[in-house]
Amino acid sequence: MAIFQKSIIILCMALLSACAGTSNTKSESTSAKNTAAKQPNGSSKGGGYYLDDGPGDNTSIDIASIPDAQPRTEKPLVSSNKPYQALGQKYVPMTNYAPYTKQGVASWYGKRYHGRKTSSGEVYDMYSMSAAHTTLPIPSYVRVVNPANGRAVVVRVNDRGPFKHDRLIDLSYAAAYKLGLVAQGSGLVEVTAIDTSPEALKNAANINVAKIEPSYASTAQIGEYSNSLNTSNTPTAESASNKEVSPASYYVQAGAFKSEANGEVLQKKILTLDLAGNAAVTNVYNNGLHRVRLGPFSSKREADIHANKVRSQLNISAIVTNQ
C-alpha cells in the first residue's frame, strides 16, 4: 500500500512538472510573437514599433498642430558634450555650432522612453519637437526635411543616439509624425544645423518663420516655406508703393488645438501665471484650429520676451508671428 501511494505521488509530481514546462514555453513563444508584431513589416530594421515602443495612448492630442521648436541662443552643456563610447563606438560631440548638412536615415522613439531622462538631463516628451544625435551639440537646433514628401520641421537636439551605424538621427514621435515617418518607422531625411548665435537669429540668416502667418500655414508648411524664401519673393518697389504701410504687430502662439476646451485650458494657465503682461490672451478659431495667442506686441523683442516666459514656465514651444 505504501509503495502504491509513493507511486501515485511521483506520478503527480511528474505531471505537474510537465505542465509547468509547457506553460513557460508557450509564454516565451507568445512574447516573441508579440514583439515581432510590434515591429513594422515584421522586421527590426524599420525602427518605430520596436519592443514595447510605439505611439502613445493619448489620442486627444492634435499632433499636426504642435509647433516646431523655436531656435534660440543656448549655451552648450559641458556634461552632455564630452567624448563618450556606445556599443563599442567612440563619439566626439561638437561643442559649438559649425555648418552641418547631411542625408541619412531617421528613426523615431515614442512611449517606451516617454518620461525618461535624456542625455541633457531633461525629461523626454514624445509630443515635443526634439531629437537625438550622436555628435551635434546639446542643445542645438536642426531643420529636418523629408525629401519624399517635401515636409520639413525644426527640432531641438537634446539627446544622444541613435547608435546603429545606418541611422543618422532619432526623432521624437511628434516630429516623425509631422514628417510622415511614423507608419514606415524610418526614412531618408536631410538634416541641417541652424546657427543660433545672437547675430544669426537677429539677421534671420538661416531661418525665418515670422513671415508666415500661422492662420494660413501649418507648422510643417512654415518649415517648407522658410526653405524656399529668396529674393525673388521680395515685392518690387512699385508693388510695395501700391500697398498701405501699417505698423507690424507681433503675437506669440502658445498652442493650436482642434478642441476649443483644450485651448481654454491653456488660455487660463497663461492668464493665471500672468505670462502675457498687459497683452490680451485670446483663443482664436481659424482654419479648423483654436489658436491660443498672446498679443499684439509692438516689437518682436517684446514678443520674444513673453514667448520665452511661456516656454520656460509651461515647457511648450511658443512661436512668435507677425501680421
PDB file of all heavy atoms in Angstrom, residues 248-281:
ATOM      1  N   ALA A 248       3.866  96.902 -37.864  1.00  0.00           N
ATOM      2  CA  ALA A 248       3.763  95.460 -37.632  1.00  0.00           C
ATOM      3  C   ALA A 248       3.297  95.184 -36.210  1.00  0.00           C
ATOM      4  O   ALA A 248       3.635  95.905 -35.274  1.00  0.00           O
ATOM      5  CB  ALA A 248       5.117  94.810 -37.869  1.00  0.00           C
ATOM      6  N   SER A 249       2.493  94.163 -36.076  1.00  0.00           N
ATOM      7  CA  SER A 249       2.060  93.699 -34.761  1.00  0.00           C
ATOM      8  C   SER A 249       2.554  92.271 -34.584  1.00  0.00           C
ATOM      9  O   SER A 249       2.418  91.444 -35.493  1.00  0.00           O
ATOM     10  CB  SER A 249       0.536  93.738 -34.647  1.00  0.00           C
ATOM     11  OG  SER A 249       0.069  95.063 -34.724  1.00  0.00           O
ATOM     12  N   TYR A 250       3.116  91.991 -33.438  1.00  0.00           N
ATOM     13  CA  TYR A 250       3.669  90.666 -33.179  1.00  0.00           C
ATOM     14  C   TYR A 250       2.813  89.925 -32.148  1.00  0.00           C
ATOM     15  O   TYR A 250       2.261  90.521 -31.223  1.00  0.00           O
ATOM     16  CB  TYR A 250       5.108  90.787 -32.678  1.00  0.00           C
ATOM     17  CG  TYR A 250       6.053  91.330 -33.723  1.00  0.00           C
ATOM     18  CD1 TYR A 250       6.236  92.697 -33.868  1.00  0.00           C
ATOM     19  CD2 TYR A 250       6.751  90.478 -34.563  1.00  0.00           C
ATOM     20  CE1 TYR A 250       7.093  93.209 -34.834  1.00  0.00           C
ATOM     21  CE2 TYR A 250       7.610  90.965 -35.534  1.00  0.00           C
ATOM     22  CZ  TYR A 250       7.779  92.334 -35.671  1.00  0.00           C
ATOM     23  OH  TYR A 250       8.620  92.829 -36.628  1.00  0.00           O
ATOM     24  N   TYR A 251       2.724  88.617 -32.351  1.00  0.00           N
ATOM     25  CA  TYR A 251       1.940  87.764 -31.466  1.00  0.00           C
ATOM     26  C   TYR A 251       2.781  86.557 -31.049  1.00  0.00           C
ATOM     27  O   TYR A 251       3.741  86.185 -31.734  1.00  0.00           O
ATOM     28  CB  TYR A 251       0.673  87.263 -32.164  1.00  0.00           C
ATOM     29  CG  TYR A 251      -0.314  88.362 -32.499  1.00  0.00           C
ATOM     30  CD1 TYR A 251      -0.200  89.094 -33.676  1.00  0.00           C
ATOM     31  CD2 TYR A 251      -1.369  88.660 -31.641  1.00  0.00           C
ATOM     32  CE1 TYR A 251      -1.095  90.103 -33.991  1.00  0.00           C
ATOM     33  CE2 TYR A 251      -2.277  89.669 -31.945  1.00  0.00           C
ATOM     34  CZ  TYR A 251      -2.138  90.385 -33.121  1.00  0.00           C
ATOM     35  OH  TYR A 251      -3.031  91.374 -33.429  1.00  0.00           O
ATOM     36  N   VAL A 252       2.396  85.953 -29.961  1.00  0.00           N
ATOM     37  CA  VAL A 252       3.008  84.708 -29.511  1.00  0.00           C
ATOM     38  C   VAL A 252       1.948  83.623 -29.574  1.00  0.00           C
ATOM     39  O   VAL A 252       0.932  83.697 -28.882  1.00  0.00           O
ATOM     40  CB  VAL A 252       3.545  84.822 -28.061  1.00  0.00           C
ATOM     41  CG1 VAL A 252       4.060  83.465 -27.584  1.00  0.00           C
ATOM     42  CG2 VAL A 252       4.638  85.872 -27.983  1.00  0.00           C
ATOM     43  N   GLN A 253       2.171  82.632 -30.427  1.00  0.00           N
ATOM     44  CA  GLN A 253       1.250  81.493 -30.492  1.00  0.00           C
ATOM     45  C   GLN A 253       1.738  80.426 -29.515  1.00  0.00           C
ATOM     46  O   GLN A 253       2.814  79.873 -29.689  1.00  0.00           O
ATOM     47  CB  GLN A 253       1.163  80.914 -31.900  1.00  0.00           C
ATOM     48  CG  GLN A 253       0.185  79.735 -31.981  1.00  0.00           C
ATOM     49  CD  GLN A 253       0.024  79.213 -33.390  1.00  0.00           C
ATOM     50  OE1 GLN A 253      -0.314  79.951 -34.300  1.00  0.00           O
ATOM     51  NE2 GLN A 253       0.283  77.919 -33.577  1.00  0.00           N
ATOM     52  N   ALA A 254       0.927  80.164 -28.504  1.00  0.00           N
ATOM     53  CA  ALA A 254       1.319  79.211 -27.463  1.00  0.00           C
ATOM     54  C   ALA A 254       0.812  77.808 -27.733  1.00  0.00           C
ATOM     55  O   ALA A 254       1.306  76.848 -27.143  1.00  0.00           O
ATOM     56  CB  ALA A 254       0.813  79.685 -26.108  1.00  0.00           C
ATOM     57  N   GLY A 255      -0.194  77.668 -28.603  1.00  0.00           N
ATOM     58  CA  GLY A 255      -0.711  76.336 -28.898  1.00  0.00           C
ATOM     59  C   GLY A 255      -1.828  76.384 -29.914  1.00  0.00           C
ATOM     60  O   GLY A 255      -2.418  77.448 -30.151  1.00  0.00           O
ATOM     61  N   ALA A 256      -2.089  75.245 -30.534  1.00  0.00           N
ATOM     62  CA  ALA A 256      -3.183  75.142 -31.508  1.00  0.00           C
ATOM     63  C   ALA A 256      -3.891  73.809 -31.295  1.00  0.00           C
ATOM     64  O   ALA A 256      -3.252  72.765 -31.235  1.00  0.00           O
ATOM     65  CB  ALA A 256      -2.643  75.236 -32.929  1.00  0.00           C
ATOM     66  N   PHE A 257      -5.202  73.852 -31.146  1.00  0.00           N
ATOM     67  CA  PHE A 257      -5.964  72.664 -30.787  1.00  0.00           C
ATOM     68  C   PHE A 257      -7.228  72.543 -31.646  1.00  0.00           C
ATOM     69  O   PHE A 257      -7.813  73.543 -32.060  1.00  0.00           O
ATOM     70  CB  PHE A 257      -6.394  72.716 -29.313  1.00  0.00           C
ATOM     71  CG  PHE A 257      -5.267  72.994 -28.353  1.00  0.00           C
ATOM     72  CD1 PHE A 257      -4.935  74.300 -28.009  1.00  0.00           C
ATOM     73  CD2 PHE A 257      -4.546  71.965 -27.800  1.00  0.00           C
ATOM     74  CE1 PHE A 257      -3.910  74.574 -27.127  1.00  0.00           C
ATOM     75  CE2 PHE A 257      -3.514  72.217 -26.906  1.00  0.00           C
ATOM     76  CZ  PHE A 257      -3.196  73.528 -26.572  1.00  0.00           C
ATOM     77  N   LYS A 258      -7.629  71.310 -31.882  1.00  0.00           N
ATOM     78  CA  LYS A 258      -8.916  71.079 -32.546  1.00  0.00           C
ATOM     79  C   LYS A 258     -10.059  71.333 -31.560  1.00  0.00           C
ATOM     80  O   LYS A 258     -11.144  71.724 -31.942  1.00  0.00           O
ATOM     81  CB  LYS A 258      -8.986  69.659 -33.088  1.00  0.00           C
ATOM     82  CG  LYS A 258      -8.155  69.437 -34.340  1.00  0.00           C
ATOM     83  CD  LYS A 258      -8.353  68.038 -34.894  1.00  0.00           C
ATOM     84  CE  LYS A 258      -7.573  67.849 -36.188  1.00  0.00           C
ATOM     85  NZ  LYS A 258      -7.732  66.481 -36.729  1.00  0.00           N
ATOM     86  N   SER A 259      -9.773  71.075 -30.293  1.00  0.00           N
ATOM     87  CA  SER A 259     -10.787  71.243 -29.257  1.00  0.00           C
ATOM     88  C   SER A 259     -10.706  72.638 -28.648  1.00  0.00           C
ATOM     89  O   SER A 259      -9.641  73.079 -28.192  1.00  0.00           O
ATOM     90  CB  SER A 259     -10.593  70.188 -28.154  1.00  0.00           C
ATOM     91  OG  SER A 259     -11.339  70.501 -27.012  1.00  0.00           O
ATOM     92  N   GLU A 260     -11.831  73.333 -28.616  1.00  0.00           N
ATOM     93  CA  GLU A 260     -11.879  74.665 -28.016  1.00  0.00           C
ATOM     94  C   GLU A 260     -11.597  74.589 -26.521  1.00  0.00           C
ATOM     95  O   GLU A 260     -10.955  75.470 -25.944  1.00  0.00           O
ATOM     96  CB  GLU A 260     -13.246  75.304 -28.257  1.00  0.00           C
ATOM     97  CG  GLU A 260     -13.361  76.720 -27.717  1.00  0.00           C
ATOM     98  CD  GLU A 260     -14.715  77.346 -27.997  1.00  0.00           C
ATOM     99  OE1 GLU A 260     -15.624  76.616 -28.447  1.00  0.00           O
ATOM    100  OE2 GLU A 260     -14.867  78.561 -27.765  1.00  0.00           O
ATOM    101  N   ALA A 261     -12.052  73.500 -25.887  1.00  0.00           N
ATOM    102  CA  ALA A 261     -11.856  73.333 -24.444  1.00  0.00           C
ATOM    103  C   ALA A 261     -10.368  73.265 -24.097  1.00  0.00           C
ATOM    104  O   ALA A 261      -9.924  73.843 -23.094  1.00  0.00           O
ATOM    105  CB  ALA A 261     -12.567  72.068 -23.960  1.00  0.00           C
ATOM    106  N   ASN A 262      -9.570  72.566 -24.924  1.00  0.00           N
ATOM    107  CA  ASN A 262      -8.125  72.475 -24.673  1.00  0.00           C
ATOM    108  C   ASN A 262      -7.478  73.849 -24.800  1.00  0.00           C
ATOM    109  O   ASN A 262      -6.562  74.192 -24.046  1.00  0.00           O
ATOM    110  CB  ASN A 262      -7.478  71.495 -25.644  1.00  0.00           C
ATOM    111  CG  ASN A 262      -7.862  70.065 -25.362  1.00  0.00           C
ATOM    112  OD1 ASN A 262      -8.300  69.742 -24.265  1.00  0.00           O
ATOM    113  ND2 ASN A 262      -7.712  69.190 -26.341  1.00  0.00           N
ATOM    114  N   GLY A 263      -7.967  74.636 -25.757  1.00  0.00           N
ATOM    115  CA  GLY A 263      -7.458  75.989 -25.915  1.00  0.00           C
ATOM    116  C   GLY A 263      -7.771  76.850 -24.706  1.00  0.00           C
ATOM    117  O   GLY A 263      -6.944  77.649 -24.254  1.00  0.00           O
ATOM    118  N   GLU A 264      -8.974  76.683 -24.161  1.00  0.00           N
ATOM    119  CA  GLU A 264      -9.378  77.463 -22.999  1.00  0.00           C
ATOM    120  C   GLU A 264      -8.546  77.109 -21.762  1.00  0.00           C
ATOM    121  O   GLU A 264      -8.230  77.973 -20.944  1.00  0.00           O
ATOM    122  CB  GLU A 264     -10.864  77.230 -22.717  1.00  0.00           C
ATOM    123  CG  GLU A 264     -11.779  77.882 -23.756  1.00  0.00           C
ATOM    124  CD  GLU A 264     -13.240  77.552 -23.511  1.00  0.00           C
ATOM    125  OE1 GLU A 264     -13.515  76.676 -22.656  1.00  0.00           O
ATOM    126  OE2 GLU A 264     -14.100  78.157 -24.173  1.00  0.00           O
ATOM    127  N   VAL A 265      -8.192  75.822 -21.642  1.00  0.00           N
ATOM    128  CA  VAL A 265      -7.365  75.391 -20.506  1.00  0.00           C
ATOM    129  C   VAL A 265      -6.009  76.091 -20.543  1.00  0.00           C
ATOM    130  O   VAL A 265      -5.530  76.626 -19.530  1.00  0.00           O
ATOM    131  CB  VAL A 265      -7.167  73.856 -20.521  1.00  0.00           C
ATOM    132  CG1 VAL A 265      -6.110  73.438 -19.498  1.00  0.00           C
ATOM    133  CG2 VAL A 265      -8.478  73.148 -20.213  1.00  0.00           C
ATOM    134  N   LEU A 266      -5.381  76.114 -21.730  1.00  0.00           N
ATOM    135  CA  LEU A 266      -4.086  76.770 -21.861  1.00  0.00           C
ATOM    136  C   LEU A 266      -4.227  78.279 -21.659  1.00  0.00           C
ATOM    137  O   LEU A 266      -3.374  78.919 -21.026  1.00  0.00           O
ATOM    138  CB  LEU A 266      -3.489  76.478 -23.242  1.00  0.00           C
ATOM    139  CG  LEU A 266      -2.133  77.123 -23.539  1.00  0.00           C
ATOM    140  CD1 LEU A 266      -1.102  76.726 -22.486  1.00  0.00           C
ATOM    141  CD2 LEU A 266      -1.645  76.726 -24.932  1.00  0.00           C
ATOM    142  N   GLN A 267      -5.301  78.844 -22.181  1.00  0.00           N
ATOM    143  CA  GLN A 267      -5.555  80.273 -22.028  1.00  0.00           C
ATOM    144  C   GLN A 267      -5.620  80.650 -20.548  1.00  0.00           C
ATOM    145  O   GLN A 267      -5.019  81.642 -20.110  1.00  0.00           O
ATOM    146  CB  GLN A 267      -6.853  80.649 -22.739  1.00  0.00           C
ATOM    147  CG  GLN A 267      -7.189  82.135 -22.696  1.00  0.00           C
ATOM    148  CD  GLN A 267      -8.531  82.436 -23.352  1.00  0.00           C
ATOM    149  OE1 GLN A 267      -9.356  81.542 -23.540  1.00  0.00           O
ATOM    150  NE2 GLN A 267      -8.747  83.694 -23.695  1.00  0.00           N
ATOM    151  N   LYS A 268      -6.333  79.857 -19.755  1.00  0.00           N
ATOM    152  CA  LYS A 268      -6.470  80.129 -18.327  1.00  0.00           C
ATOM    153  C   LYS A 268      -5.130  80.006 -17.595  1.00  0.00           C
ATOM    154  O   LYS A 268      -4.826  80.778 -16.679  1.00  0.00           O
ATOM    155  CB  LYS A 268      -7.499  79.182 -17.706  1.00  0.00           C
ATOM    156  CG  LYS A 268      -8.932  79.506 -18.117  1.00  0.00           C
ATOM    157  CD  LYS A 268      -9.914  78.499 -17.539  1.00  0.00           C
ATOM    158  CE  LYS A 268     -11.340  78.825 -17.983  1.00  0.00           C
ATOM    159  NZ  LYS A 268     -12.313  77.813 -17.498  1.00  0.00           N
ATOM    160  N   LYS A 269      -4.310  79.022 -18.004  1.00  0.00           N
ATOM    161  CA  LYS A 269      -2.994  78.858 -17.380  1.00  0.00           C
ATOM    162  C   LYS A 269      -2.136  80.094 -17.602  1.00  0.00           C
ATOM    163  O   LYS A 269      -1.475  80.589 -16.684  1.00  0.00           O
ATOM    164  CB  LYS A 269      -2.285  77.627 -17.980  1.00  0.00           C
ATOM    165  CG  LYS A 269      -2.750  76.299 -17.431  1.00  0.00           C
ATOM    166  CD  LYS A 269      -1.903  75.176 -18.003  1.00  0.00           C
ATOM    167  CE  LYS A 269      -2.347  73.827 -17.467  1.00  0.00           C
ATOM    168  NZ  LYS A 269      -1.527  72.720 -18.036  1.00  0.00           N
ATOM    169  N   ILE A 270      -2.153  80.586 -18.820  1.00  0.00           N
ATOM    170  CA  ILE A 270      -1.339  81.761 -19.152  1.00  0.00           C
ATOM    171  C   ILE A 270      -1.803  82.982 -18.370  1.00  0.00           C
ATOM    172  O   ILE A 270      -0.996  83.769 -17.860  1.00  0.00           O
ATOM    173  CB  ILE A 270      -1.393  82.023 -20.672  1.00  0.00           C
ATOM    174  CG1 ILE A 270      -0.697  80.878 -21.422  1.00  0.00           C
ATOM    175  CG2 ILE A 270      -0.747  83.355 -21.026  1.00  0.00           C
ATOM    176  CD1 ILE A 270      -0.865  80.923 -22.921  1.00  0.00           C
ATOM    177  N   LEU A 271      -3.124  83.146 -18.262  1.00  0.00           N
ATOM    178  CA  LEU A 271      -3.675  84.275 -17.519  1.00  0.00           C
ATOM    179  C   LEU A 271      -3.376  84.153 -16.027  1.00  0.00           C
ATOM    180  O   LEU A 271      -3.036  85.138 -15.368  1.00  0.00           O
ATOM    181  CB  LEU A 271      -5.190  84.358 -17.746  1.00  0.00           C
ATOM    182  CG  LEU A 271      -5.636  84.812 -19.149  1.00  0.00           C
ATOM    183  CD1 LEU A 271      -7.140  84.617 -19.313  1.00  0.00           C
ATOM    184  CD2 LEU A 271      -5.252  86.271 -19.379  1.00  0.00           C
ATOM    185  N   THR A 272      -3.490  82.941 -15.493  1.00  0.00           N
ATOM    186  CA  THR A 272      -3.237  82.711 -14.070  1.00  0.00           C
ATOM    187  C   THR A 272      -1.793  83.025 -13.701  1.00  0.00           C
ATOM    188  O   THR A 272      -1.513  83.599 -12.647  1.00  0.00           O
ATOM    189  CB  THR A 272      -3.560  81.248 -13.696  1.00  0.00           C
ATOM    190  OG1 THR A 272      -4.930  80.977 -14.002  1.00  0.00           O
ATOM    191  CG2 THR A 272      -3.315  80.993 -12.215  1.00  0.00           C
ATOM    192  N   LEU A 273      -0.862  82.643 -14.601  1.00  0.00           N
ATOM    193  CA  LEU A 273       0.559  82.869 -14.338  1.00  0.00           C
ATOM    194  C   LEU A 273       1.019  84.255 -14.771  1.00  0.00           C
ATOM    195  O   LEU A 273       2.198  84.586 -14.622  1.00  0.00           O
ATOM    196  CB  LEU A 273       1.393  81.798 -15.065  1.00  0.00           C
ATOM    197  CG  LEU A 273       1.201  80.359 -14.583  1.00  0.00           C
ATOM    198  CD1 LEU A 273       1.923  79.384 -15.510  1.00  0.00           C
ATOM    199  CD2 LEU A 273       1.716  80.200 -13.158  1.00  0.00           C
ATOM    200  N   ASP A 274       0.098  85.048 -15.332  1.00  0.00           N
ATOM    201  CA  ASP A 274       0.403  86.408 -15.774  1.00  0.00           C
ATOM    202  C   ASP A 274       1.589  86.430 -16.744  1.00  0.00           C
ATOM    203  O   ASP A 274       2.507  87.251 -16.633  1.00  0.00           O
ATOM    204  CB  ASP A 274       0.707  87.299 -14.557  1.00  0.00           C
ATOM    205  CG  ASP A 274       0.677  88.793 -14.917  1.00  0.00           C
ATOM    206  OD1 ASP A 274       0.009  89.147 -15.909  1.00  0.00           O
ATOM    207  OD2 ASP A 274       1.343  89.580 -14.232  1.00  0.00           O
ATOM    208  N   LEU A 275       1.547  85.533 -17.728  1.00  0.00           N
ATOM    209  CA  LEU A 275       2.646  85.422 -18.691  1.00  0.00           C
ATOM    210  C   LEU A 275       2.519  86.394 -19.857  1.00  0.00           C
ATOM    211  O   LEU A 275       3.452  86.540 -20.642  1.00  0.00           O
ATOM    212  CB  LEU A 275       2.718  83.983 -19.242  1.00  0.00           C
ATOM    213  CG  LEU A 275       2.985  82.883 -18.208  1.00  0.00           C
ATOM    214  CD1 LEU A 275       2.985  81.517 -18.875  1.00  0.00           C
ATOM    215  CD2 LEU A 275       4.319  83.129 -17.512  1.00  0.00           C
ATOM    216  N   ALA A 276       1.370  87.032 -19.980  1.00  0.00           N
ATOM    217  CA  ALA A 276       1.159  87.938 -21.111  1.00  0.00           C
ATOM    218  C   ALA A 276       1.333  89.400 -20.740  1.00  0.00           C
ATOM    219  O   ALA A 276       1.272  90.272 -21.611  1.00  0.00           O
ATOM    220  CB  ALA A 276      -0.232  87.714 -21.701  1.00  0.00           C
ATOM    221  N   GLY A 277       1.517  89.690 -19.460  1.00  0.00           N
ATOM    222  CA  GLY A 277       1.633  91.076 -19.043  1.00  0.00           C
ATOM    223  C   GLY A 277       0.349  91.837 -19.317  1.00  0.00           C
ATOM    224  O   GLY A 277      -0.740  91.390 -18.952  1.00  0.00           O
ATOM    225  N   ASN A 278       0.448  92.966 -20.002  1.00  0.00           N
ATOM    226  CA  ASN A 278      -0.732  93.774 -20.327  1.00  0.00           C
ATOM    227  C   ASN A 278      -1.399  93.354 -21.632  1.00  0.00           C
ATOM    228  O   ASN A 278      -2.437  93.902 -22.005  1.00  0.00           O
ATOM    229  CB  ASN A 278      -0.345  95.259 -20.417  1.00  0.00           C
ATOM    230  CG  ASN A 278       0.127  95.803 -19.080  1.00  0.00           C
ATOM    231  OD1 ASN A 278      -0.387  95.393 -18.034  1.00  0.00           O
ATOM    232  ND2 ASN A 278       1.094  96.705 -19.106  1.00  0.00           N
ATOM    233  N   ALA A 279      -0.790  92.414 -22.339  1.00  0.00           N
ATOM    234  CA  ALA A 279      -1.333  91.980 -23.625  1.00  0.00           C
ATOM    235  C   ALA A 279      -2.517  91.030 -23.426  1.00  0.00           C
ATOM    236  O   ALA A 279      -2.656  90.389 -22.378  1.00  0.00           O
ATOM    237  CB  ALA A 279      -0.253  91.292 -24.448  1.00  0.00           C
ATOM    238  N   ALA A 280      -3.342  90.940 -24.450  1.00  0.00           N
ATOM    239  CA  ALA A 280      -4.509  90.057 -24.386  1.00  0.00           C
ATOM    240  C   ALA A 280      -4.103  88.612 -24.656  1.00  0.00           C
ATOM    241  O   ALA A 280      -3.108  88.344 -25.325  1.00  0.00           O
ATOM    242  CB  ALA A 280      -5.544  90.500 -25.415  1.00  0.00           C
ATOM    243  N   VAL A 281      -4.887  87.694 -24.116  1.00  0.00           N
ATOM    244  CA  VAL A 281      -4.709  86.264 -24.395  1.00  0.00           C
ATOM    245  C   VAL A 281      -6.014  85.768 -24.996  1.00  0.00           C
ATOM    246  O   VAL A 281      -7.048  85.750 -24.333  1.00  0.00           O
ATOM    247  CB  VAL A 281      -4.378  85.468 -23.114  1.00  0.00           C
ATOM    248  CG1 VAL A 281      -4.153  83.998 -23.459  1.00  0.00           C
ATOM    249  CG2 VAL A 281      -3.160  86.040 -22.421  1.00  0.00           C
TER     250      VAL A 281
END
